[in-house]
Amino acid sequence: MILPITNRNSSLNFSANNQKDNEENKLPYTHDTVLKNTFSNRLRIGVDKLTNAMTVYPAKGLKGSKNANFYEFLTMGTVPYLIGSGMLMAIFNYNKPFMPFDKKAASTLGRRLALGVVFYAVAKSLSKMFITQPVKWMTGVDTEQPYAKVQYELPESIDDTDITSIEYHKVPESTEFIRWDLMYGREDNAKTRNEPYDKIAKKLGLGDNLNDSDQEAKPRIREIVIKSTTAKNIVSYLWAATGVGIAMQQSWDKFFNVATLKFWNGKKFAKSAVTFVKTLGESAKEFYKGTDAGMSKYAGKCLLGAAVLGTVIGVSNVMTSSNKPSKLDSADIIEKSRKYVVN
């Protein structure tokens, strides 16, 4: 266990200001803590990571902090992704060199392409739930279970004491180093230490009242995580392409004519929100039906069918396993008529 680094000299300071500073810098977690996989928690984690990626982490890297790590590097990858998306949307709608008539046509297409960028990102992110949730319902394994990791850092100056930071990870983030310790039951919400594993083992058909349910379930959990990750990586792009297809339909032209982002204009903004939902339904129908011209009539159906079929196959593949215990007993394997030698 890695213990926090403390400064002995600072422990002799009992001033009111020092106590106030400690209370203000107190972290919300004192140890690695599993978080509920709810929308509010996911939103809070996303906002926290994005804020740090734009402020704290770049500052640490630019000054050459010894505490800058690979997690911070990966988290900062969100920033160029967002900037690149914004640049694409801006380029699609840059139409100043065009003549007035051409400018109107370019603007119509550009707004659809910009909406396609948004739909691509949203569909790619949300579609992972199409794998995660069914797998969780049927197996009890949440492959997106978040947890807050308390990271103890090295002191960068003589006045630094108990330097810690919070990182947000997922319990099965690494298939090689799954945080099995966080999947055990705690005294405040579980009757026994193995209770979570007992429930998973039961759903997986491994049996009830097992002596070591954790050891029985761990190989199967690892397999579920690996298969789920592969399925999500494939299916998310199919749903992202579907989102782009929906954004390219002509139904959106009516929406853009009345849409506004001025939320302070309550009535108009509310009307835009209602129109957006209505237009989304119309564009989905238009995408599915296609046009009467050749193969384009079936393009939407094929793409949507591929996304749905890929999701079903992905979930089905997760539910199949070669790690299930054999139902054969020794009487079915050992032939009594033959002689056996034990070395």
Side-chain angles (χ1 to χ4, degrees), residues 127-140:
S127 61
K128 295 180 180 180
M129 295 176 58
F130 298 157
I131 300 292
T132 302
Q133 289 302 324
V135 169
K136 181 181 178 181
W137 293 334
M138 290 186 284
T139 67

Side-chain angles (χ1 to χ4, degrees), residues 302-313:
C302 291
L303 183 55
L304 180 60
V308 174
L309 183 61
T311 303
V312 173
I313 293 175

Side-chain angles (χ1 to χ4, degrees), residues 29-156:
Y29 309 103
T30 58
H31 58 279
D32 294 356
T33 307
V34 176
L35 307 175
K36 292 184 178 180
N37 191 4
T38 60
F39 175 77
S40 59
N41 275 344
R42 291 194 298 269
L43 180 62
R44 180 174 60 83
I45 291 172
V47 171
D48 185 75
K49 292 176 70 173
L50 180 60
T51 303
N52 289 332
M54 298 178 68
T55 56
V56 179
Y57 299 159
K60 291 175 66 176
L62 290 173
K63 73 176 184 179
S65 172
K66 64 181 72 175
N67 291 309
N69 56 32
F70 192 57
Y71 167 83
E72 297 175 358
F73 168 75
L74 292 178
T75 304
M76 285 191 292
T78 308
V79 178
Y81 181 85
L82 293 175
I83 294 175
S85 298
M87 291 181 65
L88 274 177
M89 297 169 71
I91 291 172
F92 292 151
N93 288 274
Y94 182 75
N95 51 27
K96 287 186 178 181
F98 298 150
M99 297 296 290
F101 180 79
D102 295 332
K103 184 180 294 186
K104 182 178 180 181
S107 178
T108 300
L109 179 60
R111 286 182 294 188
R112 290 190 212 163
L113 289 171
L115 186 64
V117 173
V118 176
F119 276 20
Y120 177 92
V122 173
K124 187 174 182 293
S125 178
L126 295 181
S127 61
K128 295 180 180 180
M129 295 176 58
F130 298 157
I131 300 292
T132 302
Q133 289 302 324
V135 169
K136 181 181 178 181
W137 293 334
M138 290 186 284
T139 67
V141 180
D142 188 354
T143 58
E144 297 287 334
Q145 181 69 63
Y147 78 94
K149 177 180 177 60
V150 178
Q151 186 73 22
Y152 295 104
E153 299 183 345
L154 299 172
E156 298 189 15

Side-chain angles (χ1 to χ4, degrees), residues 4-5 41 102 128 134 148 151 157 178 203 221 289 293-294:
I5 300 173
N41 275 344
D102 295 332
K128 295 180 180 180
Q151 186 73 22
S157 69
I178 297 176
K203 284 193 173 185
I221 293 174
K289 291 180 179 180

Side-chain angles (χ1 to χ4, degrees), residues 109-338:
L109 179 60
R111 286 182 294 188
R112 290 190 212 163
L113 289 171
L115 186 64
V117 173
V118 176
F119 276 20
Y120 177 92
V122 173
K124 187 174 182 293
S125 178
L126 295 181
S127 61
K128 295 180 180 180
M129 295 176 58
F130 298 157
I131 300 292
T132 302
Q133 289 302 324
V135 169
K136 181 181 178 181
W137 293 334
M138 290 186 284
T139 67
V141 180
D142 188 354
T143 58
E144 297 287 334
Q145 181 69 63
Y147 78 94
K149 177 180 177 60
V150 178
Q151 186 73 22
Y152 295 104
E153 299 183 345
L154 299 172
E156 298 189 15
S157 69
I158 194 172
D159 297 322
D160 289 339
T161 60
D162 294 341
I163 310 175
T164 55
S165 63
I166 298 296
E167 297 180 0
Y168 294 102
H169 297 270
K170 295 173 184 175
V171 173
E173 189 171 59
S174 169
T175 56
E176 296 180 356
F177 302 101
I178 297 176
R179 289 297 304 270
W180 303 113
D181 57 310
L182 298 179
M183 295 179 67
Y184 286 97
R186 301 188 303 273
E187 294 180 358
D188 57 340
N189 62 0
K191 296 179 181 178
T192 62
R193 176 174 167 77
N194 268 20
E195 184 177 351
Y197 285 104
D198 292 339
K199 294 179 180 179
I200 293 174
K202 184 177 181 180
K203 284 193 173 185
L204 294 176
L206 300 177
D208 299 329
N209 302 321
L210 299 175
N211 292 330
D212 298 301
S213 59
D214 53 342
Q215 300 305 317
E216 295 286 346
K218 283 179 181 179
R220 183 72 176 97
I221 293 174
R222 189 188 301 275
E223 183 181 16
I224 289 172
V225 171
I226 294 172
K227 288 184 175 182
S228 295
T229 301
T230 303
K232 284 184 286 188
N233 289 338
I234 296 174
V235 169
S236 62
Y237 286 101
L238 293 174
W239 284 107
T242 302
V244 175
I246 292 175
M248 294 302 297
Q249 303 308 309
Q250 295 181 357
S251 302
W252 291 105
D253 296 341
K254 300 177 183 177
F255 167 74
F256 291 129
N257 291 332
V258 299
T260 180
L261 295 177
K262 298 178 180 179
F263 57 88
W264 55 87
N265 191 340
K267 292 183 178 180
K268 196 171 182 180
F269 184 76
K271 183 179 179 181
S272 298
V274 173
T275 306
F276 176 84
V277 175
K278 183 179 179 180
T279 307
L280 180 61
E282 292 176 355
S283 61
K285 292 179 181 178
E286 188 177 350
F287 169 76
Y288 183 78
K289 291 180 179 180
T291 61
D292 296 330
M295 291 299 296
S296 60
K297 182 177 180 180
Y298 306 100
K301 295 181 178 66
C302 291
L303 183 55
L304 180 60
V308 174
L309 183 61
T311 303
V312 173
I313 293 175
V315 174
S316 300
N317 183 57
V318 173
M319 297 308 299
T320 60
S321 174
S322 58
N323 287 326
K324 288 185 177 180
S326 175
K327 295 182 180 180
L328 300 176
D329 57 22
S330 60
D332 298 315
I333 300 174
I334 299 176
E335 298 180 15
K336 296 181 180 181
S337 58
R338 296 182 61 182

